[in-house]
Amino acid sequence: WIAINERQSEYYGGLCVYHWGKQMPAELFEKVKNHKAYLTSNEGMLFYQYFFMYLKIPATKKTPNDIISGTLRTIKTMDSLFTSPKSDLLKVKFSSKDPNEQKMILETVLPHIKTDWCKTVIQEEYARTNKRLGSINKTLAESKSFISGDQLGQPIAELPFGAKLYKVDTLNAKTLLSNIKNSFQNKALLIDFWATWCAPCIEEFPHSKKLRENTKDLPIEFVYLCTSESSSIEKWKSKIAEFELSGTHIYVEKSIESALMEIFSASGFPTYVLINTKGEYKPSAGIRPSNLDKDKLS
């Protein structure tokens, strides 16, 4: 029965993924709804995660009111389908990679949790989220203005861990690239094209931070170019502060960033570009900070 339950969890989880964004047939939905994953295995836990994603009603926009209303609609759906224990188990799956959104979501979910251990899980996550936000806000409060003599854009702030922030919304792509190269003459460049909403981009940040620390003695500059698409300067600054990414950060108007990526025949986020100390582009398809080290950059 253990093997059967495990395979059913895998099978029903896969069906949930297949039906994301569309209606599951009623007869199938009843089978999925009534399935109980008995094992805290990968498949057992993923079944509940995938089922939660199927049931989740996404916010139409990213405003606080939309996030809260979308969360409440999902909670109402779960409470109408299940008894409290199972509904609360699914509510534990609410999450967001943005700590501000996560705080709002957890505050919305917590009053609707009746099961003690689920309530404890949510409360602990809420405490961790508040701690993260406190650290981010402290870092941002310690930022200072600075005057820059180079052409990297409008200076925004300098953060205490060695990050200089700029904004570019008027330069053309070729001029921006030329200015970046001229600002770091005799240095290699690792350029990171990213977006605040790109999960794979964010997942690489700890690796990027470690790589920068391990290559301090090398003539290399880490330049992070964040697109303005579906984002804001506030979110951009918060992400940099959250991961304490030192280096050069530029918030780039989306059309400029797109044109700059086209120069390197690149598309999609994240994209990474290596330029050596002679200013020569070194094609390196598929590179990421997670698979780079000091030897490869030497």
Side-chain angles (χ1 to χ4, degrees):
W1 71 265
I2 290 177
I4 292 171
N5 183 259
E6 183 78 343
R7 296 285 73 78
Q8 285 178 330
S9 295
E10 180 183 18
Y11 178 62
Y12 288 139
L15 288 173
C16 288
V17 173
Y18 177 77
H19 287 93
W20 283 351
K22 53 188 175 183
Q23 189 72 33
M24 192 182 293
E27 184 178 352
L28 175 60
F29 180 74
E30 284 300 311
K31 292 179 179 179
V32 175
K33 185 182 78 169
N34 293 325
H35 176 66
K36 295 179 181 179
Y38 289 109
L39 304 180
T40 55
S41 61
N42 285 347
E43 300 303 341
M45 298 176 73
L46 283 173
F47 163 73
Y48 285 113
Q49 182 66 44
Y50 295 155
F51 190 34
F52 167 81
M53 293 302 296
Y54 173 74
L55 295 171
K56 185 180 178 183
I57 301 170
T60 53
K61 298 178 182 177
K62 283 289 186 177
T63 66
N65 286 339
D66 288 312
I67 291 168
I68 291 170
S69 62
T71 302
L72 286 172
R73 288 197 300 273
T74 303
I75 289 171
K76 185 177 180 180
T77 298
M78 292 173 178
D79 285 342
S80 70
L81 292 171
F82 309 108
T83 59
S84 292
K86 191 165 185 177
S87 178
D88 289 349
L89 171 62
L90 290 167
K91 291 171 193 172
V92 170
K93 301 296 182 181
F94 276 103
S95 67
S96 171
K97 291 187 178 295
D98 184 304
N100 286 295
E101 290 181 9
Q102 178 76 335
K103 183 174 185 290
M104 285 188 291
I105 290 170
L106 295 176
E107 287 174 344
T108 305
V109 172
L110 194 54
H112 299 275
I113 299 284
K114 298 178 182 178
T115 308
D116 287 341
W117 76 265
C118 293
K119 186 175 291 186
T120 299
V121 169
I122 296 292
Q123 288 171 334
E124 290 175 349
E125 179 58 30
Y126 184 70
R128 285 192 292 269
T129 300
N130 272 333
K131 185 176 180 180
R132 283 173 65 199
L133 278 172
S135 176
I136 292 169
N137 291 332
K138 181 176 182 294
T139 298
L140 292 175
E142 292 172 353
S143 66
K144 58 183 180 181
S145 58
F146 69 102
I147 299 173
S148 174
D150 54 34
Q151 301 299 311
L152 294 177
Q154 175 189 345
I156 298 296
E158 183 174 4
L159 300 180
F161 46 83
K164 287 189 174 183
L165 280 56
Y166 302 84
K167 176 186 176 184
V168 167
D169 52 17
T170 56
L171 294 176
N172 65 54
K174 290 183 178 179
T175 300
L176 176 57
L177 179 59
S178 176
N179 288 350
I180 292 173
K181 288 171 62 180
N182 291 334
S183 296
F184 302 105
Q185 293 185 16
N186 301 317
K187 274 191 172 186
L189 300 173
L190 178 55
I191 303 177
D192 180 337
F193 294 89
W194 69 286
T196 59
W197 39 263
C198 167
C201 302
I202 307 303
E203 289 170 359
E204 287 292 318
F205 282 168
H207 301 287
S208 183
K209 181 178 179 180
K210 182 179 179 181
L211 185 63
R212 181 175 174 83
E213 291 171 352
N214 291 339
T215 56
K216 284 181 179 178
D217 58 335
L218 295 180
I220 183 169
E221 181 68 20
F222 287 65
V223 180
Y224 301 89
L225 303 180
C226 178
T227 178
S228 66
E229 182 178 4
S230 302
S231 189
S232 67
I233 287 183
E234 290 72 26
K235 282 190 175 183
W236 168 63
K237 290 171 66 176
S238 292
K239 280 298 174 191
I240 298 167
E242 180 181 352
F243 289 91
E244 296 190 353
L245 284 173
S246 57
T248 300
H249 294 266
I250 308 176
Y251 186 76
V252 187
E253 199 280 324
K254 62 180 182 180
S255 63
I256 301 173
E257 177 128 345
S258 295
L260 188 55
M261 291 174 74
E262 286 181 10
I263 293 174
F264 300 103
S265 299
S267 62
F269 299 102
T271 286
Y272 303 93
V273 168
L274 279 172
I275 298 176
N276 67 16
T277 54
K278 298 178 182 178
E280 299 167 338
Y281 169 50
K282 306 298 290 183
S284 304
I287 65 162
R288 294 197 176 201
S290 54
N291 58 36
L292 288 174
D293 56 30
K294 184 175 181 179
D295 290 338
K296 291 179 181 177
L297 292 178
S298 297

